[in-house]
Amino acid sequence: MGSRKKQMADAIKEQKKQVAFAKLNNCPTSPRKMRLVADLVRGESVEKALNILKFSQKEASNRLEKLLLSAIANWQAKNEDADVESAELFVQEIRVDGGSMLKRLRPAPQGRAHRIRKRSNHVTLVVGSNNNTQS
């Protein structure tokens, strides 16, 4: 490997150390309901986001709180020597995509049937460090 290529690889590796992500696949909540909660914590610091999720009445907030804790743990695994409080972690990106649908039929009047779509979603949460991007 050439010296410039090695330097670029090291720089990319350092950048990837600053972010950690967690994914939640096939969560049995409609994407629309999950996005309502995801919009509350997008861009917030980790401590504030955890407080928002803990005291939210929505059912989706429990799942997102668990996912955020997983992303923080993933960040800690990457940066064993760093401290979470001093790193100023924040929710860099949170994306809610539609998942698979379970299709069911419900009987309707006069011999008809209505289709019921039970939706699920995929959530990707990226946690970034605010501290090291400035220096």
Side-chain angles (χ1 to χ4, degrees):
M1 187 184 293
S3 63
R4 280 186 297 167
K5 197 170 185 182
K6 175 103 172 99
Q7 288 173 348
M8 280 301 292
D10 289 340
I12 290 171
K13 192 173 182 182
E14 280 300 314
Q15 285 178 342
K16 284 188 177 181
K17 264 189 129 177
Q18 303 312 314
V19 296
F21 70 96
K23 289 181 77 173
L24 174 64
N25 286 332
N26 295 319
C27 178
T29 310
S30 73
R32 187 175 181 179
K33 290 178 184 175
M34 187 65 85
R35 279 189 197 106
L36 286 174
V37 181
D39 290 341
L40 293 174
V41 297
R42 185 175 287 120
E44 298 289 346
S45 70
V46 167
E47 295 85 14
K48 188 174 179 184
L50 282 172
N51 285 333
I52 290 170
L53 293 173
K54 182 172 291 228
F55 295 109
S56 175
Q57 295 289 320
K58 304 271 188 193
E59 182 196 343
S61 64
N62 296 332
R63 294 190 171 109
L64 274 184
E65 182 183 5
K66 198 169 180 181
L67 186 68
L68 180 57
L69 289 171
S70 174
I72 294 168
N74 292 343
W75 187 88
Q76 279 181 319
K78 276 186 177 181
N79 304 289
E80 293 162 349
D81 54 332
D83 186 33
V84 176
E85 284 80 24
S86 64
E88 297 177 17
L89 293 179
F90 71 104
V91 180
Q92 186 171 327
E93 179 184 350
I94 182 165
R95 193 170 57 247
V96 181
D97 301 319
S100 59
M101 265 188 273
L102 293 175
K103 293 179 177 147
R104 300 288 181 257
L105 291 177
R106 167 160 289 162
Q110 299 180 355
R112 295 193 202 99
H114 291 183
R115 180 171 285 164
I116 303 295
R117 292 185 295 274
K118 297 189 174 190
R119 300 174 189 270
S120 67
N121 63 58
H122 307 311
V123 184
T124 307
L125 194 142
V126 180
V127 171
S129 174
N130 223 0
N131 194 9
N132 296 353
T133 55
Q134 293 170 351
S135 56

